[in-house]
Amino acid sequence: QVQLVESGGGSVQAGGSLRLSCAASGYTNRDYCLGWFRQAPGKEREGVAVICGSEKFPYTADSVKGRFTISQDDAKNTLYLQMNSLKPEDSAMYYCAADRGVSVASVLRASAYHYWGQGTQVTVSA
């Protein structure tokens, strides 16, 4: 059973930084994609950044490229999202997700993932 627990959200001013963490268990690197998604009020859940397989190839949404970096610490079974140069439009609930057998075409689609954390709120003020 895959379990995901996020932490690290909070409130920051525009231009600031936050690092989200996701403690993950019950999966194997070789088979799974793990990643970050976000959902703002009234909007659909969208993919932010995902790492797949033991190669840890990153997939990053255009809206956060150059500002957000996804990484994974295998020793700690933890996924991270370093968020720099935050903007008010980055405000959302951020979720960690995981699943196996995710196609490249679907890697940033929320519908491709069955395992989710409870979410952590990020609020960026202007």
Side-chain angles (χ1 to χ4, degrees), residues 58-103:
Y59 300 85
T60 307
D62 289 342
S63 58
V64 303
K65 276 182 181 176
R67 301 189 297 121
F68 291 12
T69 303
I70 188 170
S71 62
Q72 186 177 14
D73 185 331
D74 291 338
K76 296 181 179 180
N77 290 329
T78 301
L79 185 73
Y80 300 100
L81 184 68
Q82 179 65 45
M83 305 186 294
N84 298 327
S85 302
L86 282 161
K87 305 175 181 180
E89 51 263 43
D90 294 319
S91 296
M93 185 71 80
Y94 282 71
Y95 297 92
C96 182
D99 215 322
R100 62 193 306 176
V102 179
S103 69

Side-chain angles (χ1 to χ4, degrees), residues 1-5 23-28 32 98-100 114-117:
Q1 181 73 17
V2 176
Q3 294 186 326
L4 306 166
V5 180
S25 61
Y27 72 99
T28 55
Y32 277 79
D99 215 322
R100 62 193 306 176
H114 289 92
Y115 300 103
W116 294 89

